[in-house]
Amino acid sequence: MKKYLKSNACYVFFAVLLGLLYSGLNVYVAIILQKVIDIAELKDMEKFIFLTIGALIYVALLALLQFLYLTMTKYLVARIIKMLRKDIFNGIYNQNYIVYSKINNADYISALTNDINIIEQDFILPFIGIIQNVFIFLFTTFFLIKLSVEVTVSLSICLILMFLIPQLIGNLLQKKQSEYSEQVAVFLEKAKDFFGGYEVIRSFNIYEIIKQKFNGENEKTTKAKFAKDRIFALNESLSFLLSFIAQFAVLFVAAYLIIVDKITMGVLVALVQLSSNFVNPVSEIMNCFAAIKSVEPVVKKLNALSGNNNHQPGKLTPTFERTLELKNVSFSYGENTALILKEVNLVFEKNKKYALLGESGCGKTTLIRLLSGYFAEYKGNILFDGIDIKKIDTSQIGEVVSVVHQNVFLFDDNIYNNICLYKEYDDEQVKDSIISSGVDLFLSEQKEGIKTMVGEDAKNLSGGQKQRIAVARALITKPKILIFDEGTSSLDLKTAYDIEDRLLNISNLTMITITHNSNSDLLKKYDHILKIKDGKVTII
């Protein structure tokens, strides 16, 4: 979190400066009260009127300073949260695919929502609160000593006791905060599953079972939050008790000093007022320290996410004018796991068509992820025109290779944006892509044509329509290589045949079709038919 404060050093400086001014003026209110009481006892009307006018001006200035201080701190918080969210999002995407896929998406969403909220409420705001309360404490101490050493000593004894509280319950508070954060992530993961599985739940009539599961997770989350809040309540209650005792101590000591004629009634009022500004800031500081300590696990988690930089591409731009070659490529998903691919040797030539056959789970999808630069931990060489992929900026591979994935993902947006993916293309490029993919076959049925919203999870479209949009998305970039990963496996035979046949008829395109069941007539149109079995690739 330090880097965010350093990045906003200017705003931190102004927030601290405004906090200093506001705190000083706020504490000085006690001295004004003293003067009012003392003048009232003297029955000096002229001084009383002058002081009243001055007090009104003073209060207006204090209100203005408070507004400026609160505005600056909220702006500072907003900037830090924005930067943190940005870094977390970038960190998530900077992970390599293996690391990324090991964590549930609900955990990532939880980090950007719930954990960010925890950081704001229990780290950033308490940090700012500590600074302000330190100023208030220092100003108050100065005026207390000036008015009465005896009262200052009695308050200091109470403070010593108050410092013991965080030591007693700080670790417990941290544990409960961590447990709550983990439980919220689990709750979000389960809720995401329950909503995503709506049709299955309805079709198989398991709503009552799912409802019980939801209620169970809801109960666990509620208990985890209550357990955390209960410790916070204990901490605040103990702090309040000591604050109350401290104020009583001030009142009785000051009353005694009046009896022995050491202070005036005005000084007593000022001391009572200052005692709140002496004890309460310390109480708030302790609560803030306890809150900050409690979120250490969350801070470490977010630092780990935002600090990810596993994706370190090379510098060369990928090209495909001749060949894409694999030399003795072997790959597994972990050190102690079986090899998915074993010493694969393949050459894909420009503008030729390749069918890659194999049973489910044989490594076909793994192979295309390697060609797309997803994985860096493999043995052998992957060469674009003789240049190793490890020397290439893999973020630019999408300019050469387009992939039509088996499971089509469409954004909850219109058809146009799902084809163009928010990039700029001229009308001719868009037209060519929708004709080549067959998207034009169903556009006339849509009320708003290409601007029709697809809906969440593309619920407004059929499987074939989604697949054609995915093909149009891949073709609009005019890729040199198109990888078709089981792209028609879930479609009817007629639609599947039409989509694959259209792609095979594009002459200036290298096409790699990944499938485990292809039409025999279509197979005849391929230049080469390859088969993966037991991690090996052979030519049929």
Side-chain angles (χ1 to χ4, degrees):
M1 298 303 295
K2 291 180 181 178
K3 73 172 184 177
Y4 300 108
L5 295 173
K6 289 181 179 178
S7 300
N8 293 279
C10 180
Y11 300 103
V12 172
F13 171 77
F14 281 112
V16 170
L17 179 61
L18 288 169
L20 176 65
L21 294 173
Y22 171 68
S23 300
L25 290 179
N26 191 31
V27 171
Y28 195 76
V29 168
I31 305 302
I32 294 176
L33 290 176
Q34 175 210 339
K35 293 181 183 299
V36 170
I37 300 298
D38 288 342
I39 289 173
E41 282 189 323
L42 295 173
K43 303 185 187 306
D44 189 332
M45 183 59 70
E46 184 179 347
K47 287 185 178 180
F48 179 76
I49 293 173
F50 178 79
L51 185 61
T52 300
I53 295 172
L56 290 174
I57 297 172
Y58 190 90
V59 169
L61 180 60
L62 184 63
L64 176 62
L65 270 174
Q66 183 189 40
F67 170 75
L68 293 174
Y69 170 68
L70 292 176
T71 301
M72 179 57 71
T73 54
K74 289 184 183 299
Y75 182 68
L76 175 62
V77 170
R79 283 181 59 88
I80 291 174
I81 292 300
K82 181 181 72 172
M83 294 172 67
L84 182 56
R85 279 204 188 103
K86 178 182 176 182
D87 286 349
I88 291 171
F89 185 83
N90 290 340
I92 290 171
Y93 266 85
N94 278 336
Q95 300 175 111
N96 63 53
Y97 180 78
I98 295 177
V99 176
Y100 174 85
S101 60
K102 285 181 179 179
I103 301 176
N104 193 287
N105 287 344
D107 290 337
Y108 292 136
I109 295 171
S110 177
L112 286 168
T113 53
N114 180 66
D115 289 345
I116 286 286
N117 185 58
I118 290 174
I119 290 297
E120 179 179 350
Q121 297 299 321
D122 295 332
F123 189 96
I124 300 175
L125 292 178
F127 177 80
I128 294 172
I130 288 172
I131 295 174
Q132 182 187 4
N133 282 292
V134 165
F135 289 150
I136 292 174
F137 177 77
L138 292 175
F139 282 120
T140 301
T141 303
F142 171 77
F143 288 117
L144 274 174
I145 294 172
K146 193 173 181 180
L147 292 175
S148 173
V149 175
E150 294 90 342
V151 170
T152 306
V153 171
S154 64
L155 284 173
S156 299
I157 293 172
C158 293
L159 284 183
I160 293 172
L161 296 175
M162 294 175 70
F163 274 118
L164 298 176
I165 295 175
Q167 303 300 322
L168 297 175
I169 62 176
N171 291 333
L172 181 59
L173 197 58
Q174 179 180 338
K175 177 184 176 183
K176 295 300 179 184
Q177 183 71 277
S178 179
E179 289 175 355
Y180 174 60
S181 177
E182 291 172 4
Q183 179 55 39
V184 168
V186 172
F187 178 79
L188 288 173
E189 179 181 335
K190 295 295 183 183
K192 180 173 175 287
D193 260 0
F194 297 155
F195 289 127
Y198 175 82
E199 291 187 7
V200 174
I201 292 168
R202 290 293 299 269
S203 299
F204 289 88
N205 193 26
I206 58 171
Y207 171 67
E208 290 300 324
I209 296 173
I210 296 301
K211 184 169 72 173
Q212 289 178 11
K213 288 182 175 294
F214 174 83
N215 289 340
E217 292 302 327
N218 190 25
E219 180 71 18
K220 289 178 184 177
T221 305
T222 302
K223 286 182 177 179
K225 185 177 187 304
F226 177 69
K228 170 184 75 80
D229 291 344
R230 185 170 55 189
I231 303 302
F232 269 109
L234 175 62
N235 184 61
E236 291 175 4
S237 297
L238 289 173
S239 298
F240 172 78
L241 175 62
L242 288 172
S243 299
F244 200 72
I245 292 172
Q247 289 184 28
F248 259 64
V250 170
L251 184 61
F252 281 96
V253 172
Y256 169 77
L257 293 174
I258 288 178
I259 293 172
V260 298
D261 292 326
K262 291 195 69 174
I263 62 173
T264 65
M265 184 60 71
V267 173
L268 181 144
V269 172
L271 288 171
V272 171
Q273 177 71 20
L274 287 170
S275 67
S276 297
N277 288 335
F278 186 80
V279 176
N280 289 343
V282 177
S283 177
E284 286 297 318
I285 289 170
M286 289 193 307
N287 288 335
C288 290
F289 271 122
I292 290 172
K293 185 175 178 60
S294 74
V295 298
E296 284 182 1
V298 179
V299 172
K300 288 180 181 178
K301 172 185 172 182
L302 296 186
N303 282 342
L305 281 176
S306 62
N308 279 326
N309 194 24
N310 296 330
H311 180 65
Q312 297 179 340
K315 297 180 179 180
L316 300 179
T317 300
T319 62
F320 181 68
E321 301 300 329
R322 302 185 305 277
T323 60
L324 168 57
E325 186 176 2
L326 288 84
K327 287 186 176 181
N328 298 317
V329 172
S330 298
F331 178 80
S332 70
Y333 282 95
E335 294 182 2
N336 300 319
T337 59
L339 287 173
I340 305 297
L341 298 174
K342 303 174 184 176
E343 296 185 349
V344 173
N345 289 280
L346 280 176
V347 178
F348 298 104
E349 297 181 58
K350 186 176 182 179
N351 295 337
K352 289 193 175 182
K353 309 296 187 284
Y354 298 85
L356 187 58
L357 310 180
E359 299 298 325
S360 296
C362 69
K364 303 187 299 296
T365 299
T366 300
L367 178 61
I368 67 164
R369 285 174 177 163
L370 281 167
L371 297 179
S372 302
Y374 277 39
F375 308 130
E377 302 301 323
Y378 61 87
K379 294 181 179 179
N381 302 98
I382 300 173
L383 310 168
F384 280 82
D385 286 340
I387 300 173
D388 197 294
I389 196 173
K390 291 182 179 179
K391 297 179 180 179
I392 289 173
D393 181 354
T394 52
S395 67
Q396 296 186 44
I397 287 181
E399 304 297 322
V400 175
V401 181
S402 277
V403 181
V404 179
H405 298 280
Q406 180 179 0
N407 298 316
V408 177
F409 174 80
L410 298 183
F411 293 97
D412 186 6
D413 207 323
N414 59 47
I415 294 172
Y416 179 86
N417 284 334
N418 272 291
I419 292 174
C420 298
L421 292 179
Y422 310 106
K423 294 181 180 179
E424 295 292 330
Y425 295 99
D426 59 45
D427 293 341
E428 194 64 30
Q429 286 176 290
V430 175
K431 183 179 178 181
D432 287 346
S433 70
I434 64 175
I435 292 174
S436 298
S437 62
V439 169
D440 61 313
L441 298 177
F442 68 85
L443 275 187
S444 59
E445 304 169 5
Q446 309 299 317
K447 291 183 179 180
E448 298 182 51
I450 200 168
K451 294 296 183 179
T452 300
M453 298 295 292
V454 305
E456 185 180 5
D457 293 329
K459 61 185 178 184
N460 297 335
L461 303 175
S462 68
Q465 290 169 340
K466 290 192 291 185
Q467 197 67 56
R468 289 185 189 278
I469 289 173
V471 172
R473 170 194 292 173
L475 293 178
I476 199 170
T477 62
K478 297 190 180 300
K480 302 290 183 67
I481 301 171
L482 178 68
I483 298 176
F484 204 50
D485 181 18
E486 302 277 7
T488 59
S489 60
S490 60
L491 305 181
D492 63 89
L493 295 177
K494 182 180 178 181
T495 303
Y497 186 96
D498 181 66
I499 291 175
E500 193 170 344
D501 186 54
R502 284 170 179 265
L503 294 173
L504 285 168
N505 288 325
I506 301 175
S507 59
N508 60 336
L509 178 69
T510 301
M511 181 173 168
I512 305 172
T513 299
I514 312 291
T515 183
H516 68 275
N517 184 22
S518 187
N519 185 287
S520 58
D521 291 335
L522 289 173
L523 283 177
K524 295 176 183 178
K525 294 188 176 185
Y526 285 92
D527 296 297
H528 299 285
I529 300 174
L530 311 171
K531 185 174 183 179
I532 296 183
K533 186 176 181 180
D534 298 327
K536 296 281 189 177
V537 180
T538 56
I539 300 175
I540 300 177

